[in-house]
Amino acid sequence: MLRTIDLRGSRPSPAELLALVPRAETDVTAALAPAGRIIDEVREHGGQALLDQAERFDGVRPAAIRVPAEELRAALEALDPAVREAVESTIARVRAASAAQVPVPVTTVLAPGAVIEQRWQPVERVGLYVPGGKAVYPSSVVMNVVPAQVAGVRSIALASPPQADHDGRIHPTIAAVAALLGVDEVYAMGGAGAIGAFAYGVPDLGVLPVQRVTGPGNVFVAAAKRLVAGVTGIDAEAGPTDILVIADASADADFVAADLVSQAEHDELAASVLVTDSAEFAEAVRERLETRVAATKHSARVRAAVEGPQSALVLVDDLEQAAAFANAFGAEHLEIQVADVDATLARIENAGAIFVGPHSPVSLGDYAAGSNHVLPTGGTARHVSGLSAATFLRPQQVVRYDEAALRAVAPVIATLSAEEDLPAHGEAVTARFER
Ligand code: NAD
């Protein structure tokens, strides 16, 4: 089961902590070369490459890459009413939170007639990825599409892998949720090929390049996003999932074990990490884990994840050291299950999303909290944030000075342009006062 990293009695430096955090052997860097070859195939051979890749990786050749409008409509009509109700509830919560989080325009008046405005412009066209390999993720349709719509994106395209057990069509629930949200440009394509198709366009299929590619996916999807990041915008590397739980003796060992298993269920490369200051509590979680891993439906996948080098049980002296470890790890999902939640929360700098207290499990955020589940993985939460409406918006500064305000600041420009030996900059200002 979970290997142990025992930090008790030691005070590792920040650099030492970084070297100690558990990571998967197959990380995004290792997937860059294959992902690059797959993207190149799509750039060279277009739709043909996407069909071949579907056969190679998804075990099925779709009838067409573009999903017909009738298929989307029919999927929505056939959607189980209970599932539709659950999806609509998630949509309402994510829409309400996303709309409230839209950054507001700001006007700063620096002096009379000297005004800087900052406005937020949506990107024009986006490509949204919805995973569908080991599991299918209709919830990711909501998490991608709703913030894009809230941001005011005009053109939304969506991709998900073709499914062998649905004759090469995308999963019907994914098709239904796309239709429910009014998205009609949908493609049956998966993995790095789909990301390449969005970034560069596929002329023979009429797929136009996008200005942002977002969405979760496996290590090949995350690698492809890193590769196209100079060509198009990306949200974050939302790859194989991870959970880090900070818990003390006051926590419920069974809740913690259940949460560690829930994220391990996604992928053999998923990371489940427990950081605790109580060796007794650690043992209790280990016991509950044994039982839960054996009993859960995807037991083999979960076992591979929790026994992988990316997962660990970390013993620390105190919760201050636990927070330092969590900051070095940069968890996608951080749970805090300790007696004084706010004291630990105050020490956290790096995390994709933070779940506090015994009644905020990660799976709440996966489906129904109203927060977004597309979050940075592999330690990238140390420099980037999760998906939100802001991902699809760009701040633009608008400069509005009148004559008097420019005259007042002219000496500053003259001095700095002379200092930089760019006199034409100063002359562009003085020219306005020479008439
Ligand atoms: P996926 O759609 O991401 O991957 C399937 C695709 O991967 C296939 O269509 C194929 O194109 C490609 N692929 C498969 N094997 C390949 C190979 N050997 N070489 C090259 N390409 C290959 O679906 P999945 O596999 O189920 O993975 C979903 C992932 O998304 C999981 O790792 C899960 O943890 C992650 N996830 C992350 C978040 C997040 O926000 N970080 C949220 C949800 C899910």
Side-chain angles (χ1 to χ4, degrees):
M1 207 45 70
L2 283 176
R3 70 193 173 97
T4 303
I5 299 175
D6 194 344
L7 298 182
R8 289 172 301 176
S10 68
R11 281 281 150 186
S13 68
E16 286 164 342
L17 264 187
L18 275 181
L20 278 169
V21 295
R23 298 280 185 223
E25 266 156 26
T26 310
D27 60 2
V28 174
T29 311
L32 286 173
R37 285 192 292 275
I38 290 166
I39 293 171
D40 287 347
E41 285 171 11
V42 174
R43 293 183 72 185
E44 279 167 38
H45 305 292
Q48 192 59 44
L50 290 167
L51 289 169
D52 291 347
Q53 287 169 7
E55 211 164 334
R56 198 155 82 215
F57 298 124
D58 305 304
V60 67
R61 201 172 177 87
I65 297 293
R66 175 81 188 243
V67 178
E70 316 78 75
E71 187 179 319
L72 299 174
R73 254 195 316 273
L76 182 55
E77 275 165 25
L79 185 64
D80 177 337
V83 176
R84 180 170 178 149
E85 202 180 309
V87 170
E88 282 173 341
S89 160
T90 290
I91 290 172
R93 282 166 190 258
V94 175
R95 199 180 289 286
S98 301
Q101 291 158 2
V102 170
V104 289
V106 177
T107 299
T108 312
V109 181
L110 292 155
V115 180
I116 300 295
E117 297 160 17
Q118 180 168 265
R119 63 180 193 173
W120 293 83
Q121 281 295 100
V123 293
E124 188 186 327
R125 175 171 164 76
V126 296
L128 312 180
Y129 187 78
V130 175
K134 298 183 171 88
V136 288
Y137 293 81
S139 54
S140 295
V141 181
V142 178
M143 300 295 173
N144 271 304
V145 172
V146 170
Q149 289 177 334
V150 165
V153 174
R154 281 206 302 272
S155 171
I156 295 179
L158 192 137
S160 196
Q163 302 295 310
D165 48 6
H166 291 278
D167 293 328
R169 290 191 289 275
I170 64 167
H171 191 275
T173 310
I174 290 176
V177 178
L180 188 60
L181 287 165
V183 176
D184 57 11
E185 187 182 344
V186 181
Y187 299 100
M189 56 187 187
I195 305 302
F198 280 149
Y200 292 99
V202 189
D204 64 297
L205 295 180
V207 183
L208 296 171
V210 303
Q211 281 83 50
R212 283 276 188 291
V213 179
T214 69
N218 63 15
V219 74
F220 300 104
V221 172
K225 283 167 77 180
R226 189 183 290 181
L227 287 170
V228 302
V231 176
T232 183
I234 65 166
D235 52 339
E237 289 175 12
T241 195
D242 60 66
I243 176 174
L244 185 146
V245 184
I246 297 179
D248 64 11
S250 74
D252 185 307
D254 193 46
F255 291 0
V256 170
D259 295 354
L260 294 173
V261 170
S262 76
Q263 293 309 297
E265 178 175 53
H266 283 284
D267 198 315
E268 290 84 353
L269 295 177
S272 293
V273 180
L274 167 64
V275 186
T276 182
D277 60 351
S278 162
E280 217 169 288
F281 179 77
E283 268 326 295
V285 172
R286 211 189 273 281
E287 261 171 46
R288 293 307 305 146
L289 258 184
E290 287 287 355
T291 310
R292 284 195 169 274
V293 171
T296 196
K297 179 173 181 191
H298 303 293
S299 183
R301 196 188 302 152
V302 170
R303 189 173 292 282
V306 296
E307 289 181 354
Q310 69 273 20
S311 297
L313 194 165
V314 185
L315 292 171
V316 290
D317 287 322
D318 51 40
L319 294 176
E320 192 180 339
Q321 197 179 27
F325 188 87
N327 284 328
F329 187 84
E332 176 196 7
H333 305 107
L334 174 69
E335 283 189 3
I336 303 177
Q337 300 201 38
V338 298
D340 185 352
V341 162
D342 288 318
T344 294
L345 182 59
R347 291 192 171 110
I348 296 301
E349 290 165 13
N350 304 328
I354 304 171
F355 299 79
V356 296
H359 302 296
S360 306
V362 168
S363 51
L364 167 68
D366 282 343
Y367 295 115
S371 55
N372 203 294
H373 82 197
V374 185
L375 296 163
T377 53
T380 56
R382 284 174 294 153
H383 67 260
V384 73
S385 61
L387 188 61
S388 71
T391 307
F392 301 103
L393 294 162
R394 293 153 298 154
Q396 284 175 341
Q397 297 192 344
V398 180
V399 178
R400 207 188 286 272
Y401 271 51
D402 67 14
E403 187 183 338
L406 179 63
R407 192 185 292 277
V409 83
V412 174
I413 301 164
T415 304
L416 291 178
S417 70
E419 179 65 17
E420 294 189 352
D421 192 25
L422 297 171
H425 281 64
E427 287 154 21
V429 173
T430 51
R432 286 167 161 78
F433 303 116
E434 281 165 359
R435 300 220 179 111

